[in-house]
Structure formats: structure tokens, C-alpha cells
């Protein structure tokens, strides 16, 4: 890297010119390093104040990494590609660390661009990473790591893009378009995480049959899926589909089950910082939806402005246009998954389920030859990072198999 | 009650109960009118659960978020009836509100402004100095908030001059000659708060020019946002102007292009007043419940004027505090309040559209 470019980049961890370092996925040294990192993160003063930092520390424990490896079932002899260039999104503070770990696990050296916007979480995590990298045992990893921040500087992006073997772009369609203006070598791979849409599927009897404690747990998990990220993450559900195929009670009891769910969600969202500007934006989004739609809809508020329910009596638009924010949810009754299938577009990423099995949803995708739905998870896990994400097996994407 | 009859009522002479009756009746009528003539408005109010015919108080009238006027073309008249389109004066790159007026709404705005302002200036017109540059009103096809304000207030002037030239330079000689000519007579000054501060007050200080405006009445609006950086309070603004040019009577007003005409004038006690023709409700943002006296909330503005666009009940993004009703020491009836600022931008989380904005 030229001195000129160096002067435009802020080095947070590792070195300016990282070495290309292909290695076996889940290599012993890497697992040791990550295990040490998990401990260092948890020991970092102030970390406990940030649930996202704590969750990262918990996620990269050795035992969890091995569990994920098991479930992945890697086939054949594999080796990392060499050097991976990661572009992290600007408003999910800890995402850069996950991306870095994925690059390491696949067996690569890594350049990670963190956003120039400063988050306390970035600083905390970088401090922990630096601390572990300084240990002599991990010198090799240090020399293959470059965590940097820089502004909108195409020349810097051009440079990193020209030397990498794979490029990972987070942050949605606009970012992908911007970054793609910097070309990559012809054999270079690219994993781009585009804008996605997610939904939830619930059978009302599952709610009816829950005791208060279980319902409270569900509400808490639903909060983590949605409010925690302002309902603005790709995997945050916007639409709840109520499956009535197995419902045996009366119409009133069914409505009561739905009300019970939303009331629990509103109660669980009591700690959400509902700033006036968010209410203003959410109310505006609601009014725009009402004016735009040709759908029949009824709006119900729950817990004041904390939660808006939009009950769709028709659904004439592609499913991914029913998009909420700050606790604005659409809901629609359907008689079975066959009714949902035609509405699922390519944009749909995660289906969070309750009272519905993963197998049922997977079968719907296969039988109906759908292009959407890359994940089926229980509520509360929509944001958990996995090695298979957005339909990619990321370890496979960032390594090669020797045939 | 027709708007003509409402306008015949004294601007600050109606007490709480009578006012509520007038407001509720007129706003319910306007709501029904716009539901009939504006499809977007009908769909929104249907979705929000508005029931026509049900007895509605002023607080039950559905509110349109102010941003909606930036995002959509909302009008209740056929396009060919649009007499003029007003826009808010957003900075470049920002979306601006577009407000569509027919002759009736435009005329009622003018008449209302006249009723309100003459309570402070008296009935007769007077020599007027506009503290702005003449080019602001030259393009009449699109009225910016600044141009509309100047044109609206121009009717109070018998003779008018602009204090600034088109390069924003202060015309000291012309102003001095004007003041000399009308010596001893009350003179009206009008302009936007920030422009007055930057191009008039600061220029007087810089050049050391002394103007005698002891007979002047200054009316200014447009908000304090741009002055926040200079930490000038309303009190200090008055005080410094008094020192610089002897002006005694200074009235701020709160208003917006979305409800032109119905401005909220500052009285001698420093309070902003709702006139008979409009009203304010401070809303708690956790549930939109009306705030009590002394409690900060987001300002909802109600105007009894607009028939050409559905802007009779708007939720702004300004924060304010209701100070009281019917009992301001200045003697005017109606609600009085203060504006404390704009609601702050939040840091939105999530992973869509996340490449940093420049």
C-alpha cells in the first residue's frame, strides 16, 4: 500500500499490508485465537453495557464455533482463498467483527473496513482484538489482519479490491452498487448481502396454549428480532402471517389469541426508547401506506404509539412492500402455507416461526419452487449470525475445495 | 359556520367553550369535505378509523404528519383550479412541502393574516421596510415560504422598500432617506429572524450606522433554528435590536407554509397566541394524548381555513409547551404557548441502506 493511501486510512488492528494466508477452515490456531478473543471481549471493561458486544463474545466461544462446524458438515479437503476484503455496514456496530471471524474460520487473511462513524462497540471490540493479536502465539494472524476505517474514498476501495481473493459486502443494495464500481480480479469471488425482507408465521393456538411465562419469553424474543434494531434489520419481521389451518376454537377466541400476542409484545417493548422523531416517522410511514395501498386494512394501536398493527383484509401488493419501522407490523390471516407461497418473492430472507415447524416451511419452499426464504428460525433467533446466511454457506464461499 | 362568519369574530375575543364549539364544527366539516375530495386523505382517515358523523371534538380530528406534504401531492380541488403552489423553503437537496391553493383558500389566508396582524399594528397601513432582497418574490409561479410571507405582509405597507439588494447588502442610504421622509410616523418592519440578525443587525453593528427606528414595529418569523448556533435567545434578540436602532416593539410569530395565514403572534408578554381562526394541541408522543399546561409535547396545528388541500389538522415536528388558555396577562383570549425547538433526529439502527451518507 502506498504511503499516500496509508495516510488516508486509519489502522485499528493488525497491519497496513496484510499477508495472504490460506489455511484449512476451522484451523487449530484460528480456533485458539477466537477462543482467546471470546474471553478478552468478555473481560473488556465496559463490554457488559452492550448486549451486542456480549452476544458476539458468547458467539465466538470455541464450543459454539465447533457446534456450528458440526452442523455445517464440511465435505472434502478445503483451504481458504487467501485474502478477503470485508465492507461492514455503517449502522450495525458489531457486524464487522462477525465478518472478520467468518473470514478467519474459512482460512483467510482479512482486510475489514469498519464504518468511519464511531461507535463505542467498535472501539471496545478493536481493543480486545488488538490485545489478543499482540500475543506472540498469534503473530501469524496479526500479520494477516488489517482492520481499518476510512471515509468515502474510492481509491482506497479500488486498492483493497485489486488485491483480494474474495470481497464481502454488507449494507444493502446501494452499498453494493457503490462498491461494485471498484473492480476485482477475475478469479475473485464476491458475497454481497442485498436488501432483504423478513416475515413471521404463527399458529394462533400456539399463543392460546402458552402460559404467561412462555408468552413473556416469546415477547422478549420478538423484541430482539424487531425493536432491538428499530425493525430495520434485513431479518426483522414486518408481516405476521396467522395460519388458521389447524384452528379449532371460535372466531372470538382466535381474535383473543392474536390480541394476547400483541399485548405481550407491547408490554415487552416497554423499555424501547420511543423517541418523538421515531413516532413521527412511524406515523408518517403508516399514513403513506394507507394512502398508497389499494388494500383494505384496519389499524389498531397497542400500548399507545409503541405498537401499530395493520390488519390486512386483502394483500394485493408483493409481500415485501408491507414494510414497517419502529414497531409497525402488518398481519394477515391465511388458511395454510399454500396461500402464503405465491406471495413469497426473491426478497424474502427469514421466516420466523411459532407453532409451525421448520420442515413445513422448507417443504413449502421446495414444493412451490420458491425463490425466496433462505432461513427458517424460531422467534428470537432472526439476528443470530450463522455460517449459512442469506442462502450462502459462507465458509464454502470463502474457501476452495480440492477436487 | 362559514369561514366568512368565523372571520367576522374578533381574533382574540373568544373564550374556551365557545371556541371549542366553533373549532369542532368547522374542522369536522373540513374533514368531511376533504374526505369527499381527496382520495389519499379519505384512505388515510378510513385506515385511522375516523367515523364520519360521530360527534368529534377538536382533539379527535385526524392529524396529517407534516412530512406527508413533502412526500405526496395532496389536494382537494381539480388540478386546473390550482391558483398557486406554495413551497416550504427547505435547503437545497431537501424535499419541500407543496401546498396547493385555489382562489378561495388563498383569499382567506390573506384576510386571516390581515385580521390577526392588524390587532398588533392597527387598522391603517403604514410605511414599511422589508428586511430582505427584492428577488425573493420575483418568481411568482412558485412561492417559497419566504416570498409568500413577504407578499402576505406587504399589504400592511402604504409605501414599501427593501432593506437589502440582491447581493444581500444593506441599503443604508435608501433606508435613511425613507426614515427621514416618514419621520415621526410609525414604520412597519418585516423579515425573517435569521435574515434580520445576519444582514441587518450584524451589518449595523459592523458599520456603526445609527438608524432611528424608535417608531418602528418589527414583525419577524421563520424560526430560531439557524440562530441556535449563535446562541441568540428571543430576549437577547429584542434587547440587541433595541440597542442598535432604538426599536421598542418587536413581535415574533410562529407559522408555516402548510397553514399560511393562521400565524401565531407573540404578544407583549412574549407568548405566542392562537387566534380565533386556528388552534394548537401539544401531543404526548408515547400515545398522542393531549398534554396538560406546562408539559412539553409535539405541536399539532389546526387551521379553519384550508379547503383546497387537506391541511386543517397537521402534526408538526416542532416541540412546544402550552402555557395557558384565556388568561394571558396581555388580555387576549385563546391558548398561548411557546415553541421550544424541533424534534431531534434519531440514530436509526438496522442493516438496510447503510453505506454512510456524506
Amino acid at each position: 500500500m502506498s504511503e499516500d493511501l496509508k495516510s488516508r486510512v486509519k489502522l485499528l488492528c493488525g497491519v497496513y499490508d496484510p499477508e495472504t494466508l490460506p489455511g484449512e477452515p476451522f484451523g487449530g490456531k484460528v480456533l485458539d485465537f477466537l477462543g482467546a478473543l471470546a474471553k478478552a471481549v468478555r473481560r473488556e471493561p465496559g463490554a457488559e453495557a452492550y448486549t451486542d458486544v456480549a452476544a458476539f463474545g458468547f458467539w465466538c466461544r470455541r464450543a459454539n464455533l465447533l457446534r456450528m462446524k458440526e452442523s455445517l458438515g464440511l465435505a472434502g479437503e478445503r483451504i481458504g482463498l487467501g485474502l478477503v476484503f470485508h465492507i461492514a455496514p455503517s449502522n450495525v456496530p458489531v457486524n464487522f467483527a462477525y465478518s472478520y471471524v467468518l473470514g478467519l474460520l474459512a482460512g483467510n487473511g482479512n482486510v475489514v473496513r469498519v464504518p468511519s462513524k464511531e461507535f463505542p462497540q467498535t472501539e471496545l471490540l478493536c481493543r480486545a482484538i488488538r490485545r489478543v493479536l499482540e500475543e506472540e502465539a498469534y503473530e501469524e494472524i496479526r500479520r494477516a489482519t488489517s482492520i481499518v476505517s476510512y471515509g468515502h474514498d474510492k481509491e482506497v476501495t479500488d486498492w483493497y479490491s485489486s488485491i483480494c481473493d474474495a470481497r464481502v459486502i454488507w449494507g444493502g443494495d446501494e452499498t453494493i452498487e457503490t462498491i461494485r464500481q471498484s473492480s476485482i480480479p477475475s478469479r475473485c469471488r464476491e458475497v454481497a448481502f442485498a436488501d432483504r425482507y423478513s416475515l413471521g408465521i404463527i399458529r394462533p393456538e400456539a399463543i392460546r396454549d402458552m402460559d404467561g411465562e412462555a408468552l413473556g419469553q416469546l415477547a422478549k424474543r420478538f423484541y430482539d428480532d424487531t425493536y432491538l434494531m428499530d425493525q430495520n434489520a434485513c431479518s426483522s419481521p414486518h408481516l405476521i402471517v396467522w395460519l388458521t389451518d389447524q384452528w379449532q376454537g371460535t372466531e372470538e377466541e382466535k381474535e383473543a389469541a392474536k390480541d394476547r400476542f400483541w399485548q405481550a409484545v407491547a408490554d415487552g417493548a416497554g423499555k424501547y426508547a420511543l423517541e418523538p422523531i421515531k413516532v413521527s416517522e412511524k406515523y408518517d410511514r403508516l399514513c403513506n401506506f394507507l394512502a398508497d395501498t389499494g388494500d383494505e386494512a384496519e389499524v389498531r394501536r397497542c400500548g399507545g404509539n409503541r405498537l401499530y398493527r395493520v390488519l390486512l383484509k386483502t394483500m394485493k401488493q408483493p409481500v415485501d412492500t408491507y414494510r414497517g419501522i419502529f414497531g409497525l407490523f402488518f398481519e394477515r390471516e391465511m388458511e395454510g402455507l399454500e396461500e402464503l407461497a405465491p406471495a413469497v418473492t426473491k426478497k424474502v430472507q427469514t421466516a420466523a416461526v411459532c407453532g409451525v415447524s421448520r420442515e413445513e416451511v422448507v417443504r413449502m419452499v421446495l414444493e412451490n419452487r420458491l425463490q425466496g426464504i433462505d432461513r427458517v428460525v424460531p422467534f428470537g433467533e432472526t439476528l443470530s449470525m450463522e455460517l449459512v446466511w442469506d442462502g450462502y454457506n459462507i465458509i464454502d464461499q470463502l474457501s476452495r475445495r480440492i477436487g | 359556520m362559514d369561514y366568512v362568519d368565523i372571520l367576522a369574530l374578533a381574533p382574540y375575543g373568544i373564550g374556551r367553550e365557545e371556541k371549542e364549539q366553533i373549532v369542532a364544527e368547522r374542522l369536522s366539516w373540513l374533514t368531511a369535505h376533504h374526505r369527499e375530495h381527496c382520495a389519499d386523505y379519505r384512505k388515510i382517515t378510513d385506515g385511522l378509523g375516523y367515523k364520519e358523523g360521530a360527534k368529534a371534538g377538536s382533539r379527535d380530528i385526524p392529524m396529517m404528519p407534516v412530512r406527508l406534504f413533502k412526500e405526496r401531492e395532496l389536494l382537494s380541488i381539480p388540478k386546473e383550479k390550482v391558483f398557486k403552489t406554495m413551497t416550504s423553503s427547505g435547503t437545497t437537496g431537501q424535499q419541500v412541502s407543496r401546498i396547493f391553493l385555489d382562489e378561495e383558500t388563498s383569499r382567506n389566508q390573506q384576510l386571516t393574516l390581515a385580521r390577526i396582524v392588524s390587532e398588533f399594528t392597527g387598522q391603517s397601513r403604514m410605511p414599511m421596510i422589508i428586511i430582505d432582497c427584492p428577488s425573493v418574490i420575483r418568481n411568482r409561479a412558485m412561492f417559497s415560504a419566504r416570498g409568500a410571507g413577504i407578499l402576505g405582509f406587504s399589504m400592511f405597507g402604504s409605501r414599501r422598500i427593501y432593506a437589502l439588494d440582491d447581493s444581500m447588502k444593506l441599503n443604508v442610504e435608501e433606508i435613511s432617506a425613507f426614515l427621514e421622509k416618514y419621520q415621526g410616523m410609525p414604520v412597519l418592519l418585516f423579515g425573517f429572524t435569521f435574515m434580520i440578525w445576519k444582514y441587518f443587525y450584524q451589518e449595523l453593528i459592523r458599520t456603526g450606522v445609527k438608524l432611528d427606528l424608535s417608531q418602528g414595529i418589527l414583525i419577524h418569523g421563520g424560526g430560531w433554528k439557524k440562530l441556535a448556533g449563535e446562541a441568540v435567545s428571543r430576549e437577547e434578540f429584542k434587547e440587541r435590536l433595541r440597542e442598535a436602532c432604538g426599536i421598542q416593539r418587536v413581535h415574533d410569530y410562529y407559522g408555516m407554509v402548510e397553514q399560511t395565514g393562521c400565524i401565531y403572534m407573540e404578544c407583549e408578554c412574549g407568548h405566542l397566541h392562537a387566534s380565533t381562526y386556528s388552534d394548537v394541541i401539544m401531543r404526548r408522543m408515547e400515545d398522542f394524548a393531549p398534554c396538560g399546561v406546562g408539559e412539553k409535547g409535539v405541536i399539532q396545528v389546526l387551521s379553519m381555513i384550508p379547503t383546497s388541500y387537506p391541511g386543517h389538522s397537521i402534526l408538526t415536528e416542532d416541540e412546544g409547551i402550552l402555557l395557558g388558555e384565556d388568561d394571558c396577562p396581555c388580555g387576549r383570549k385563546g391558548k398561548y404557548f411557546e415553541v421550544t425547538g424541533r424534534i431531534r433526529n434519531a440514530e436509526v439502527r438496522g442493516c438496510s441502506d447503510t453505506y454512510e451518507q456524506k
Side-chain angles (χ1 to χ4, degrees), chain B residues 9 34 58 88 130 175 235 297 299-300 332 344 349 356:
Chain B
L9 301 169
H34 293 301
S58 60
S88 54
I130 297 162
I175 300 169
E235 281 318 305
I299 304 173
Q300 176 193 5
R332 291 180 184 82
R344 269 181 305 120
R349 287 169 280 192
E356 294 154 80

Side-chain angles (χ1 to χ4, degrees), chain B residues 152-300:
Chain B
F153 273 87
S154 289
M155 67 180 159
F156 304 107
S158 49
R159 299 297 302 271
R160 293 178 288 269
I161 58 163
Y162 285 86
L164 309 176
D165 65 20
D166 281 342
S167 60
M168 307 304 280
K169 230 175 107 304
L170 190 63
N171 280 322
V172 176
E173 279 165 38
E174 209 182 321
I175 300 169
S176 301
F178 191 79
L179 288 175
E180 200 160 313
K181 190 169 168 194
Y182 297 105
Q183 210 173 13
M185 286 175 70
V187 174
L188 179 65
L189 293 100
F190 173 79
F192 289 88
T193 314
F194 174 71
M195 311 282 293
I196 293 168
W197 186 255
K198 181 155 184 210
Y199 298 107
F200 184 74
Y201 169 75
Q202 288 189 338
E203 196 58 16
L204 289 181
I205 295 299
R206 194 182 66 83
T207 56
V209 170
K210 283 281 172 203
L211 295 174
D212 178 14
L213 288 169
S214 53
Q215 298 296 307
I217 304 174
L218 171 64
I219 297 178
H220 66 101
W224 297 84
K225 200 172 62 177
K226 280 190 173 166
L227 279 181
E230 314 203 15
V232 183
S233 69
R234 186 189 283 166
E235 281 318 305
E236 194 182 349
F237 183 84
K238 279 188 198 174
E239 186 56 41
R240 302 273 287 271
L241 275 166
R242 185 153 50 224
E243 284 167 17
C245 57
I247 194 159
Q248 304 292 325
R249 298 173 61 190
V250 176
H251 298 280
D252 183 14
Y253 73 86
Y254 173 63
M256 62 200 71
V257 73
E258 292 82 1
Q259 286 188 353
T260 302
C262 286
I263 60 170
Y264 300 84
M265 287 285 288
E266 178 195 7
C267 72
E268 298 75 11
C269 308
H271 302 146
L272 296 167
H273 279 259
S275 70
T276 300
Y277 325 115
S278 68
D279 216 348
V280 289
I281 301 176
M282 309 300 160
R283 296 281 182 178
R284 287 184 195 149
M285 287 308 255
E286 31 323 347
D287 56 5
F288 286 152
C291 298
V293 171
E295 181 186 351
K296 187 154 95 175
V298 172
I299 304 173
Q300 176 193 5

Side-chain angles (χ1 to χ4, degrees), chain A residues 2 15 43 50 66 68 74 81 84 92 112 131 135 178 190 195 254 272 285 293 298 332 337 356 361 384 388 399 402:
Chain A
S2 71
V15 296
R43 276 201 308 264
Y50 299 96
L66 289 174
M68 288 195 293
L74 284 176
L81 296 172
V84 180
V92 187
V112 184
R131 187 162 302 162
E135 291 175 30
T178 310
E190 187 174 86
D195 290 339
K254 188 172 69 197
Y272 181 58
R285 175 82 60 107
T293 181
E298 182 193 330
R332 167 94 173 131
L337 286 173
V356 178
V361 180
S384 338
V388 176
S399 63
I402 302 168

Side-chain angles (χ1 to χ4, degrees), chain A residues 242 266 280:
Chain A
W242 294 99
S280 184

